Amino acid sequence: MKRFISSALILGVLAASTSAYAQSTPSLSKKEKKEGWVLLFDGKTTAGWKGFKKDEVPTSWKIEDGALFLDTDAKKAGATGGDIITAGEYENYELQIDWKISEGGNSGIIFGVQDDAKYGATYSTGPEMQVLDDDKHADGKIHKHNSGDLYDLIAAPARYTKPVGQWNTAKIIKKDGKLTLILNGKVTAETTMGTEEWTKLIAGSKFKTWNGFGAFSKGHIALQDHGNKVWYKNIKLRQL
């Protein structure tokens, strides 16, 4: 007996596939384009990114369903690892990025990074907005080390992170030194870089003896390889 597939069913499958592809491919609305937003990640390639102090993106960073994915299994099998940074440097901007962390995972969004041989890591110069499984990573028990915190400098007033496996939306707004961090629509930290308050924050942190930390108004934006699986997507920025 011959079986026939209805045209309605075929169209439904095609529509679902098209919809799924559209959801995995980042785009900007007409309003966003008018406001000056640009995509820092096209959802398909690593164009516009490089490894810290490297020419190429480490091979453990892959593209998965429209996201930048740190594949730690590949890393264990011999793929190269390390933080990745934007090819460009930025000073006054609003950055928006969606992230999802693995169970027990740790990562971070680091900014003001200097890609210079005299600095050993992205976080040698760049402050960090923490990305973490607050419940199952050890840092979740440390004050100023939770998701959304300005890492080791300012603690968020509450936990605004969604459960592991769900997407979170982070924003970093930086204008003339004034810094605002937002996680899932809630402000997690506010300060002004280069001020007496900023100096006191650093003096009370693990970075107090780090020459160059938080000292640069312009720099690269980095996504951290902390040895755990993490996903980043819908990465966009507008200069202020």
Side-chain angles (χ1 to χ4, degrees):
M1 179 184 292
K2 292 183 179 179
R3 295 185 178 181
F4 297 94
I5 301 174
S6 71
S7 58
L9 178 59
I10 294 173
L11 289 173
V13 171
L14 289 174
S17 299
T18 301
S19 176
Y21 177 78
Q23 290 176 7
S24 66
T25 304
S27 62
L28 296 172
S29 67
K30 289 182 179 179
K31 182 175 181 290
E32 287 175 321
K33 290 177 181 178
K34 188 175 181 179
E35 291 173 342
W37 288 94
V38 295
L39 292 174
L40 297 186
F41 169 57
D42 63 14
K44 299 174 288 186
T45 71
T46 56
W49 294 83
K50 63 187 287 297
F52 177 65
K53 295 196 291 187
K54 298 175 182 177
D55 294 328
E56 305 294 333
V57 170
T59 55
S60 56
W61 286 94
K62 300 181 178 181
I63 312 299
E64 181 179 278
D65 297 329
L68 273 169
F69 166 51
L70 178 61
D71 186 353
T72 52
D73 292 335
K75 188 177 175 182
K76 290 175 184 176
T80 58
D83 295 2
I84 58 174
I85 65 173
T86 55
E89 296 183 71
Y90 305 95
E91 183 171 6
N92 297 312
Y93 57 87
E94 179 176 357
L95 170 73
Q96 182 169 310
I97 180 170
D98 294 342
W99 63 262
K100 180 173 68 173
I101 193 69
S102 55
E103 185 173 335
N106 187 341
S107 184
I109 305 162
I110 306 171
F111 52 96
V113 173
Q114 304 303 298
D115 191 25
D116 192 303
K118 68 181 178 180
Y119 297 114
T122 56
Y123 53 79
S124 297
T125 54
E128 173 186 349
M129 186 177 187
Q130 176 75 304
V131 169
L132 194 77
D133 176 358
D134 294 325
D135 294 323
K136 294 194 175 180
H137 192 280
D139 267 26
K141 297 180 176 63
I142 302 174
H143 186 54
K144 303 178 188 176
H145 285 205
N146 284 195
S147 288
D149 290 356
L150 182 58
Y151 180 81
D152 212 60
L153 297 172
I154 299 176
R159 287 191 179 184
Y160 303 122
T161 322
K162 294 180 181 179
V164 167
Q166 294 187 24
W167 288 99
N168 298 268
T169 298
K171 284 188 178 184
I172 297 174
I173 303 172
K174 185 175 172 292
K175 173 67 173 174
D176 299 329
K178 181 173 173 52
L179 184 63
T180 304
L181 306 187
I182 301 171
L183 181 62
N184 296 324
K186 304 291 186 180
V187 174
T188 59
E190 287 184 290
T191 187
T192 302
M193 300 175 70
T195 62
E196 183 178 349
E197 176 193 35
W198 183 248
T199 300
K200 287 180 179 179
L201 286 172
I202 294 176
S205 75
K206 65 190 288 184
F207 309 112
K208 59 186 176 183
T209 61
W210 294 25
N211 184 35
F213 176 81
F216 299 92
S217 61
K218 186 176 183 179
H220 302 270
I221 296 164
L223 304 178
Q224 187 181 43
D225 174 358
H226 205 284
N228 306 121
K229 292 180 180 179
V230 65
W231 295 258
Y232 292 99
K233 69 176 183 178
N234 296 329
I235 308 171
K236 57 189 177 183
L237 176 146
R238 64 170 178 152
Q239 303 213 44
L240 302 175

